[in-house]
Amino acid sequence: MKGKTPKTFAMLLLASALAITAGCGGSTASETPVDTGDTTSPMTITFFGADASPNWNKMQDAIGKEITKQTGITIEAEYDVNNGGDQKVALMAASGDYPDLIYPKGNLSKLVDAGAMLDLTDLIEEHAPNLKKIYGDQMNRLKYSLEDQAIYTIPTNMGVGNVAFDATGGFEIQQRVLKELGYPEIKTLQDYENVLKEYVAKHPTIDGQPTIPLTLNADDWKIMITVTNPAFQATGGPDDGEYYINPETYEAQLHYKRPEEKEYFRWLNHMYAEGLLDKDTFVQKDDQYKSKIASGRVLGLIDQEWNYQDGENALKAAGKDDATYAHFSVSLNEDIVDHTFQPTGFDGYGIGISTEAKDPVRIIKFMDWMASDEGQVLRNWGIEGEHYKVEDGKRVIPEDVQDRKTNDNTAFTKESGVGLYNVFSARYGDGVKDSTDNYYTTNFPEQIVAGYTAAEKETLKAYGITTWKEFYPSEEELPLKPWGAAYNMPVPSDTDYNVTFQKTQDIVRKRIPEAILTKPENFDKVYDDFLAELDRNGAVEMEQQYTVWIKERVALWTGEEVK
């Protein structure tokens, strides 16, 4: 799939030698590290994360201090604020200057092709029994590609064995809107539109400011989260990033080419023409988007909770519980089946050790401790006696702590560190229990319900359900995707593919807003011209190449030839 440069080849030789000769050399980046058996002396690990972590407190939270106490490790972290690591990772690859640990998200191939990442295969085999236990028979899914079967990262943004017990995305509407309108049925785009239109007619202003029926976040890459990804969600497509993968043939095509998605964007065009979509949608910045949400005057969102949580947390802290959001499965029409919860099997972006790391053995041992039962309970639950207690053998979150987690989450997270350390190592997902018959995570049905605000509980009760997920088709109703989630699949950076892909992305980010903002009578022409422009700029050839990679991934994971 890709050729190895001399630098890459040299680095791979170094990586494969680590476990064989550990204990026989020095500890500099150019020598084999010594395995002294010391796992508690002070050591600082540098780290770059491609996702933002606004509550990171430099390990001065309760969990961070305990991690340092147990392992001797202090993490000096840099997190990307807004662009998913694209610029920073490109600079790393060009300069050869890398931190010890890197979470590159979708940019792994740039680092692999630059010779920046160690092959972790032997390190895991020799020094990481907890990682081996967690991944078990899933190790094939950690391999980079069919041609290059090194393990450059271990997935950390998804837990092994994960069961989603709740919905945290979709189409959102404020609790108070639903209550005033008598908790209407919301299943289609028309239903959703009707609710927003009716409420804004009754309440043109909120707290003296104009009511905003619907706003979206189109700042940089987040345009995918709230503007373009919902197009496949509302039309029955699973999340495979920018592609739709034919489940029978594995053929990939840009999802915008699906006729039903054109109708979704036509609906957004209609919403803008009707004055229901915020006129600032395509010019506002991320912080302005969250500020509007925090004001309480935005009735509807089409987003993921992690993307607007800061704004919603501000509402909770201000006592505006009824201005928080309910999550709905909304489709173009009632015949469409929402594939939000279609199972992918274990898959995910991951963290890796760079070739500049001075002591990879110590680092993998640290990651292994973080993956132990002790480390996972600490990361997910916090400190016993402070953030949870054990009653009759069960971990329980006290009411006062739960109240802070629900209504003062930002401050609680900064102080406790709960949820801030999952990026640093492997973990079990929601629904998995440890040897004490307790869940590893706090995301299980009873705890999820306990974490809802009073307004959320009132809304759920009115609809006769206990969690937002009950609005959606369950995993059992949908087939497993043998390629996992395509957006997690690394692709080589030393081919023409990435250049073409960036061209198509530039076109998408320019033409989709144009299609939404144009006069309704011009929509068809603008959208059709957009699709034609994609093909003129190599989209068809790009799709063909991606199809090959999808088939190779299925072959790698299943061990079977895919034609």
Side-chain angles (χ1 to χ4, degrees):
M1 197 185 301
K2 65 177 185 63
K4 294 182 178 65
T5 64
K7 181 179 178 183
T8 306
F9 185 70
M11 293 306 179
L12 289 173
L13 285 178
L14 169 64
S16 64
L18 289 176
I20 298 173
T21 58
C24 301
S27 59
T28 65
S30 60
E31 299 173 337
T32 304
V34 176
D35 180 10
T36 64
D38 178 13
T39 57
T40 58
S41 64
M43 176 180 174
T44 297
I45 295 174
T46 54
F47 165 77
F48 172 75
D51 278 331
S53 184
N55 295 323
W56 177 252
N57 199 16
K58 299 180 179 180
M59 294 192 76
Q60 294 308 298
D61 48 74
I63 292 175
K65 291 177 180 178
E66 185 65 20
I67 289 172
T68 301
K69 177 182 175 182
Q70 294 293 331
T71 67
I73 298 295
T74 299
I75 299 167
E76 185 180 297
E78 177 189 356
Y79 288 95
D80 205 358
V81 176
N82 199 39
N83 66 5
D86 296 352
Q87 294 177 9
K88 180 67 176 181
V89 171
L91 286 172
M92 285 183 197
S95 69
D97 185 14
Y98 316 117
D100 300 315
L101 279 172
I102 307 174
Y103 177 79
K105 205 170 179 181
N107 289 290
L108 174 60
S109 59
K110 294 176 184 176
L111 297 173
V112 170
D113 290 340
M117 307 303 291
L118 290 180
D119 180 356
L120 305 179
T121 305
D122 291 340
L123 284 169
I124 292 171
E125 180 63 32
E126 295 290 327
H127 304 289
N130 291 307
L131 294 178
K132 287 172 62 179
K133 176 186 173 186
I134 290 174
Y135 291 124
D137 61 4
Q138 304 286 321
M139 293 297 287
N140 263 8
R141 293 187 172 224
L142 275 60
K143 295 176 180 177
Y144 183 67
S145 70
L146 189 62
E147 179 185 334
D148 179 1
Q149 299 198 18
I151 297 174
Y152 295 116
T153 61
I154 59 170
T156 59
N157 77 316
M158 181 178 182
V160 175
N162 188 72
V163 176
F165 289 115
D166 201 12
T168 56
F171 288 67
E172 289 88 14
I173 295 180
Q174 285 183 337
Q175 319 289 347
R176 63 182 173 192
V177 173
L178 300 167
K179 184 175 183 177
E180 180 168 329
L181 300 185
Y183 300 103
E185 180 179 80
I186 302 173
K187 291 186 176 181
T188 67
L189 293 175
Q190 189 62 58
D191 296 335
Y192 183 78
E193 176 186 339
N194 291 343
V195 168
L196 300 181
K197 184 182 294 185
E198 183 176 352
Y199 192 87
V200 73
K202 293 182 176 182
H203 303 276
T205 62
I206 292 175
D207 294 332
Q209 292 184 293
T211 301
I212 300 174
L214 173 65
T215 192
L216 306 175
N217 184 359
D219 189 10
D220 206 300
W221 63 274
K222 291 186 176 180
I223 189 174
M224 292 188 293
I225 308 303
T226 79
V227 180
T228 60
N229 285 4
F232 56 70
Q233 178 191 336
T235 57
D239 189 355
D240 281 307
E242 291 297 276
Y243 291 93
Y244 173 76
I245 312 298
N246 185 306
E248 303 298 328
T249 65
Y250 302 143
E251 288 182 276
Q253 70 170 171
L254 290 171
H255 66 82
Y256 308 95
K257 294 184 176 182
R258 299 170 65 231
E260 53 267 58
E261 290 198 29
K262 179 181 179 181
E263 297 311 305
Y264 176 80
F265 291 113
R266 188 192 304 278
W267 175 75
L268 284 181
N269 170 268
H270 160 76
M271 292 290 283
Y272 183 79
E274 291 289 308
L276 296 173
L277 176 60
D278 186 1
K279 60 181 176 58
D280 295 329
T281 284
F282 295 105
V283 295
Q284 65 187 346
K285 296 298 182 182
D286 187 65
D287 59 346
Q288 294 172 309
Y289 171 76
K290 292 175 182 176
S291 179
K292 285 179 179 178
I293 293 169
S295 74
R297 64 193 181 103
V298 178
L299 308 183
L301 304 171
I302 306 172
D303 203 351
Q304 300 296 313
E305 206 166 86
W306 57 262
N307 195 30
Y308 67 83
Q309 198 160 37
D310 290 347
E312 190 171 59
N313 285 343
L315 290 169
K316 294 176 183 178
K320 297 180 179 180
D321 182 14
D322 63 348
T324 62
Y325 296 90
H327 301 278
F328 291 89
S329 166
V330 172
S331 298
L332 187 64
N333 60 60
E334 291 191 5
D335 295 327
I336 289 172
V337 177
D338 190 317
H339 279 58
T340 294
F341 290 102
Q342 182 171 9
T344 62
F346 177 65
D347 192 11
Y349 292 127
I351 188 171
I353 301 174
S354 81
T355 52
E356 293 293 300
K358 292 182 174 61
D359 194 345
V361 172
R362 177 76 185 276
I363 293 173
I364 202 71
K365 286 186 172 182
F366 162 71
M367 296 169 74
D368 195 60
W369 182 87
M370 294 282 275
S372 69
D373 280 10
E374 180 184 2
Q376 290 193 71
V377 171
L378 176 65
R379 287 189 280 159
N380 288 312
W381 289 82
I383 310 292
E384 183 177 356
E386 186 175 346
H387 306 115
Y388 73 94
K389 56 187 177 180
V390 178
E391 296 179 347
D392 298 324
K394 294 295 182 183
R395 287 192 287 270
V396 177
I397 299 176
E399 270 190 43
D400 59 327
V401 176
Q402 185 59 62
D403 180 69
R404 289 208 65 206
K405 288 185 74 173
T406 302
N407 298 307
D408 192 19
N409 186 266
T410 299
F412 174 80
T413 301
K414 287 181 178 179
E415 293 168 20
S416 67
V418 170
L420 294 182
Y421 294 88
N422 283 334
V423 70
F424 295 108
S425 191
R427 57 196 170 95
Y428 287 111
D430 299 342
V432 182
K433 289 185 176 182
D434 64 18
S435 60
T436 68
D437 199 38
N438 280 283
Y439 290 102
Y440 280 101
T441 79
T442 59
N443 297 319
F444 52 91
E446 297 84 355
Q447 196 58 50
I448 287 170
V449 172
Y452 287 141
T453 65
E456 285 182 298
K457 290 177 181 176
E458 185 178 1
T459 300
L460 288 161
K461 183 179 180 181
Y463 282 103
I465 58 178
T466 55
T467 68
W468 304 118
K469 189 183 177 185
E470 292 177 53
F471 279 132
Y472 292 73
S474 69
E475 294 93 335
E476 290 77 14
E477 301 173 51
L478 303 165
L480 175 72
K481 289 199 295 179
W483 60 88
Y487 59 82
N488 282 328
M489 183 176 70
V491 300
S493 63
D494 57 352
T495 69
D496 292 337
Y497 171 86
N498 286 292
V499 174
T500 306
F501 181 77
Q502 189 56 55
K503 284 182 182 178
T504 62
Q505 284 294 284
D506 292 343
I507 293 167
V508 167
R509 295 186 187 189
K510 181 179 181 181
R511 300 305 182 193
I512 286 293
E514 285 182 2
I516 292 169
L517 300 181
T518 194
K519 294 180 179 179
E521 57 267 29
N522 295 334
F523 175 81
D524 281 306
K525 182 179 187 309
V526 173
Y527 199 89
D528 292 345
D529 287 348
F530 154 60
L531 296 183
E533 186 175 2
L534 289 174
D535 284 348
R536 285 198 306 273
N537 283 273
V540 174
E541 294 79 8
M542 181 183 76
E543 292 164 338
Q544 291 170 347
Q545 176 63 81
Y546 204 77
T547 298
V548 171
W549 288 330
I550 287 289
K551 291 179 178 180
E552 288 181 348
R553 175 178 248 210
V554 175
L556 174 65
W557 285 7
T558 65
E560 299 176 2
E561 185 179 357
V562 179
K563 296 181 180 181

